[in-house]
Amino acid sequence: MEEEWVVSVLRKCSNLKRTKQIHGHILKSGLHTDPFVFGRLLLHCAVSISDALHYSLRLFHHFPNPDTFMHNTLIRGLSLSQNPLLSLHPFIQLRRQPSLSPDSFSFAFVLKGVANSRQLRPGIQLHSQAFHHGFDTHIFVGTTLISMYAECGDSVSARRVFDKMSEPNVVAWNAAVTAAFRCGDVEGAGDVFGRMPLRNLTSWNVMLAGYAKAGELGLARRVFCDMPLRDEVSWSTMIIGFAHNGCFDEAFGFFRELLREGIGTNEVSLTGVLSACAQAGAFEFGKILHGFVEKAGFLCVGSVNNALIDTYSKCGNVAMARLVFQNMPVARSIVSWTSIIAGLAMHGYGEEAIQLFHEMEESGVRPDGITFISLLYACSHSGLVEEGYGFFSKMKNLYGIEPAIEHYGCMVDLYGRAARLQKAYEFICEMPVSPNAIIWRTLLGACSIHGNIELAELVKARLAEMDPGNSGDHVLLSNVYAVAGKWKDVASIRRTMTEHSMKKTPGRSMIEIDKVIYCFVAGEKPNEVTKEAHEKLREIMLRLRVEAGYAPQLRSVLHDIEEEEKEDSVSKHSEKLAAAFGIAKLPKGRILRIVKNLRVCGDCHTVMKLISKIYRVEIIVRDRSRFHSFKDGFCSCRDYW
């Protein structure tokens, strides 16, 4: 039959252009009035192919009497869109049709839309209507109600819906566990899991993911060990979970164990372990993974290529990142372009990032909001103020992208780094959306760098109203006072921090030696590794004084203490210890790659430049905001960071 042939061909269409051709054939053959054929066409446009939801809306409005299936299809498509709350409109239309009534799918799809939009009020109204139609006890609808309440943060209602189910199946039990985790009730999730009469593999994986996301790595490991069966999702969850919680050695360990077990890797586990390499700056391990990816045939997967670009960029080798990008055997997606632009931005190559952005435009790939964040970041770290403002305007006026709070933050950072502090302040005051604490904190950081006490005090007052317990804000203001020599004000801030039990985030630096990550923390207790690092650092500092005339920049120290104590405090910064350990352990000619959790201070920046010159070594430091590549006494940032 022709109807079956059309539906079969339709399933093979992967883009809107080809689908329109099939639609033309349907019109010519008169099948457009057939509810079965038209319904499948509508489903294909609304759900199966991307960027065709607008076409499905037009189709729906041209069909004389759409049935419940067609309404449900549109509800489903809209529930998965960027504005999922729009799924309420076809649901309301369905309710108004005297000859039609919503079924379990109608409620499940529209509840999914409400859940995705995290709007509790319409969710409660839909729950009431589901009750009125007798679907509140339906297992499919009830499970979706649990998820909806969880997404909206109402754990009590989610639990109440579950408790009223007479015979919940394993899917409902899994939804209840997920709901508890989503609402931050880790103990409650464990309780529900413990009472489950029957568990499937998904049940165990839900527990793994929940514990990992909550940072309960010990519990995650225990569940992993107790699992009767593990799949690729289980292993990927452990790799990604441990990596995101900063336990990189354990993440690498799980990946090695995965390979030893002979379990086939997938793109999720590979991108997960590559993400761990990126976060830890594990360049050597990343190179080994690159070889594995190539041999295993995963270079044909776009997401793996994107992860390699990100890994090389964050491990300090942007040249390799560009090579991966240029040699991609698959089409470059918006993620690919954005990843390489972000990589260039981190390394301070603003002009190159802009050039690549123009190449992306010429290739026909349309930039999104994340692309513009990377582009503005590139301009900020290269001092390209006018260019940054131009792109901010272009984003709105040419591409119709409404600026998010992150874009405004980039603009404040752009002006702040360029010492245009008043302009940054005026920009914040003129923002059409309320500035959050991060926006004000960005300006406070700029005030700290450029020593503007008056504006720093004003900004700190705003932050005190929004986030009074943030220790970083107190440290930044303290830094401004310390640079100006206002030690009474410094002491007052430190006293306030002590009274409120606020602790300054300790500096932490990591360096990879023979595929092992070593971590150094300022003021940590001595062990064999730190002892060796301190001994080597004393030798280095002495040589820098004698051969390069180095004198510590004591303005970086926030306390009004004796000069000797200041020098001792500055000399023990974590990146100096990591560099000293690297010089002691790595063979000559090897690049030192260091990752730090905070911004590099002025004294450490000077020391790295001198070490690179005296010891003839290249040092790449990734701090909280960018990369510094030290070579022959110079830094790639040109002292603009």
Side-chain angles (χ1 to χ4, degrees):
M1 292 178 66
E2 191 172 6
E3 293 93 334
E4 293 178 356
W5 178 84
V6 169
V7 172
S8 175
V9 173
L10 195 59
R11 289 196 192 100
K12 298 174 184 176
C13 293
S14 59
N15 56 61
L16 183 57
K17 184 178 179 181
R18 179 70 179 135
T19 303
K20 285 181 177 179
Q21 292 173 346
I22 302 299
H23 184 199
H25 176 80
I26 291 172
L27 288 168
K28 287 179 183 177
S29 60
L31 290 172
H32 61 287
T33 58
D34 186 323
F36 174 76
V37 174
F38 188 84
R40 293 307 176 275
L41 174 64
L42 189 69
L43 179 66
H44 194 70
C45 293
V47 178
S48 300
I49 57 175
S50 59
D51 301 325
L53 186 58
H54 65 286
Y55 196 71
S56 68
L57 288 167
R58 287 168 58 191
L59 288 172
F60 181 81
H61 291 303
H62 279 87
F63 196 81
N65 294 301
D67 57 21
T68 300
F69 176 83
M70 295 175 193
H71 280 87
N72 289 349
T73 298
L74 211 58
I75 295 167
R76 181 182 175 187
L78 288 167
S79 73
L80 301 171
S81 70
Q82 290 185 337
N83 193 349
L85 203 59
L86 291 176
S87 60
L88 284 169
H89 296 319
F91 179 81
I92 293 169
Q93 282 181 266
L94 174 62
R95 288 285 320 280
R96 288 173 177 170
Q97 298 296 322
S99 59
L100 301 175
S101 61
D103 58 17
S104 61
F105 290 101
S106 312
F107 279 104
F109 292 148
V110 75
L111 283 167
K112 183 68 176 175
V114 171
N116 288 341
S117 61
R118 291 174 174 80
Q119 296 288 328
L120 181 59
R121 193 169 183 178
I124 294 171
Q125 293 172 338
L126 286 169
H127 188 178
S128 175
Q129 290 184 31
F131 178 81
H132 176 72
H133 283 80
F135 286 115
D136 60 313
T137 57
H138 190 284
I139 193 71
F140 186 29
V141 176
T143 302
T144 315
L145 275 168
I146 293 169
S147 300
M148 182 275 294
Y149 279 120
E151 289 293 337
C152 296
D154 189 347
S155 59
V156 175
S157 295
R159 187 64 176 264
R160 189 179 295 132
V161 171
F162 176 72
D163 289 340
K164 285 183 178 179
M165 286 184 171
S166 56
E167 294 181 6
N169 61 11
V170 69
V171 177
W173 280 95
N174 291 343
V177 174
T178 303
F181 276 126
R182 190 82 72 197
C183 297
D185 185 8
V186 176
E187 189 176 335
D191 174 61
V192 175
F193 182 75
R195 293 191 293 111
M196 287 181 73
L198 178 67
R199 298 168 183 162
N200 59 12
L201 184 56
T202 301
S203 312
W204 291 93
N205 284 335
V206 164
M207 288 302 294
L208 278 185
Y211 279 142
K213 193 170 183 180
E216 297 287 352
L217 301 184
L219 293 174
R221 190 188 290 274
R222 188 184 303 167
V223 169
F224 186 76
C225 293
D226 291 343
M227 290 180 74
L229 183 68
R230 301 169 188 144
D231 64 357
E232 293 172 348
V233 174
S234 317
W235 288 95
S236 300
T237 299
M238 295 302 281
I239 292 166
I240 295 169
F242 275 77
H244 284 180
N245 282 282
C247 301
F248 307 114
D249 285 341
E250 289 89 340
F252 299 148
F254 279 113
F255 186 75
R256 292 190 188 99
E257 193 177 340
L258 167 67
L259 297 180
R260 281 196 299 269
E261 293 277 338
I263 299 170
T265 55
N266 60 11
E267 61 181 280
V268 178
S269 58
L270 280 171
T271 52
V273 76
L274 282 168
S275 172
C277 290
Q279 292 177 66
F283 176 69
E284 296 299 327
F285 199 87
K287 280 200 304 183
I288 293 171
L289 281 172
H290 190 175
F292 174 82
V293 163
E294 200 165 354
K295 287 178 183 177
F298 279 97
L299 282 182
C300 61
V301 181
S303 61
V304 175
N305 282 271
N306 297 336
L308 280 169
I309 293 168
D310 185 56
T311 297
Y312 279 124
S313 295
K314 289 180 178 174
C315 287
N317 196 325
V318 74
M320 278 298 297
R322 289 205 71 158
L323 202 61
V324 172
F325 176 78
Q326 289 163 0
N327 295 331
M328 282 181 69
V330 291
R332 299 182 186 116
S333 66
I334 182 63
V335 177
S336 313
W337 286 97
T338 301
S339 295
I340 191 63
I341 290 171
L344 291 166
M346 282 188 288
H347 288 265
Y349 299 129
E351 292 84 358
E352 290 89 337
I354 290 171
Q355 181 184 340
L356 212 59
F357 175 78
H358 291 317
E359 287 179 24
M360 182 188 75
E361 288 182 306
E362 290 168 9
S363 74
V365 175
R366 184 182 177 87
D368 59 13
I370 299 173
T371 310
F372 277 103
I373 289 174
S374 298
L375 195 59
L376 292 172
Y377 182 91
C379 294
S380 177
H381 285 270
S382 299
L384 303 172
V385 178
E386 299 309 319
E387 290 86 345
Y389 179 75
F391 285 120
F392 184 76
S393 301
K394 187 176 187 177
M395 177 182 72
K396 293 190 295 181
N397 301 330
L398 180 61
Y399 288 104
I401 299 173
E402 196 61 35
I405 197 74
E406 292 84 2
H407 298 105
Y408 290 111
C410 286
M411 289 302 295
V412 173
D413 188 54
L414 178 75
Y415 290 127
R417 287 181 189 277
R420 295 171 64 171
L421 301 179
Q422 191 58 37
K423 176 67 177 176
Y425 179 71
E426 291 169 2
F427 182 85
I428 293 174
C429 294
E430 294 169 2
M431 281 170 53
V433 295
S434 298
N436 61 13
I438 296 172
I439 296 284
W440 287 113
R441 195 165 291 128
T442 300
L443 181 54
L444 181 59
C447 292
S448 176
I449 294 168
H450 299 293
N452 189 321
I453 296 176
E454 185 178 344
L455 186 56
E457 290 176 331
L458 190 154
V459 173
K460 178 62 178 69
R462 294 288 186 99
L463 281 166
E465 298 172 4
M466 303 174 77
D467 190 8
N470 189 286
S471 62
D473 300 338
H474 288 76
V475 171
L476 284 172
L477 184 59
S478 178
N479 197 22
V480 177
Y481 287 141
V483 170
K486 302 183 74 170
W487 299 112
K488 287 185 178 179
D489 292 312
V490 172
S492 175
I493 289 177
R494 305 300 286 191
R495 193 162 48 247
T496 300
M497 291 179 69
T498 302
E499 289 170 358
H500 291 85
S501 301
M502 295 181 192
K503 292 184 178 179
K504 180 181 180 293
T505 303
R508 179 180 288 103
S509 295
M510 294 181 291
I511 186 168
E512 182 188 23
I513 310 286
D514 294 330
K515 301 180 214 44
V516 176
I517 303 294
Y518 292 90
C519 184
F520 296 89
V521 181
E524 67 180 338
K525 292 180 179 179
N527 55 47
E528 286 186 19
V529 172
T530 56
K531 185 179 178 182
E532 186 175 358
H534 277 287
E535 287 174 358
K536 187 64 179 177
L537 183 57
R538 278 193 289 272
E539 173 201 309
I540 291 171
M541 300 305 282
L542 180 61
R543 189 173 171 186
L544 295 188
R545 287 175 184 273
V546 173
E547 297 184 31
Y550 161 74
Q553 296 179 27
L554 304 181
R555 295 197 317 168
S556 301
V557 185
L558 304 186
H559 306 279
D560 184 15
I561 55 180
E562 296 299 322
E563 296 298 305
E564 281 187 22
E565 290 182 68
K566 287 184 182 180
E567 286 190 29
D568 187 54
S569 176
V570 168
S571 71
K572 291 177 181 176
H573 282 188
S574 61
E575 58 267 54
K576 290 192 181 87
L577 289 167
F581 190 69
I583 290 173
K585 290 294 185 183
L586 287 172
K588 286 187 178 180
R590 288 281 293 275
I591 298 173
L592 272 61
R593 301 177 189 276
I594 299 167
V595 176
K596 184 175 182 182
N597 64 326
L598 303 176
R599 186 178 185 272
V600 172
C601 75
D603 184 73
C604 287
H605 196 265
T606 299
V607 166
M608 295 299 168
K609 287 196 289 186
L610 294 176
I611 291 176
S612 72
K613 181 179 180 180
I614 299 298
Y615 284 83
R616 298 182 181 277
V617 63
E618 185 176 352
I619 307 171
I620 296 177
V621 177
R622 185 180 99 202
D623 72 4
R624 185 171 56 190
S625 60
R626 62 160 298 151
F627 272 90
H628 300 266
S629 181
F630 302 95
K631 192 174 182 180
D632 300 325
F634 296 95
C635 180
S636 60
C637 75
R638 295 167 295 206
D639 296 338
Y640 185 87
W641 89 99

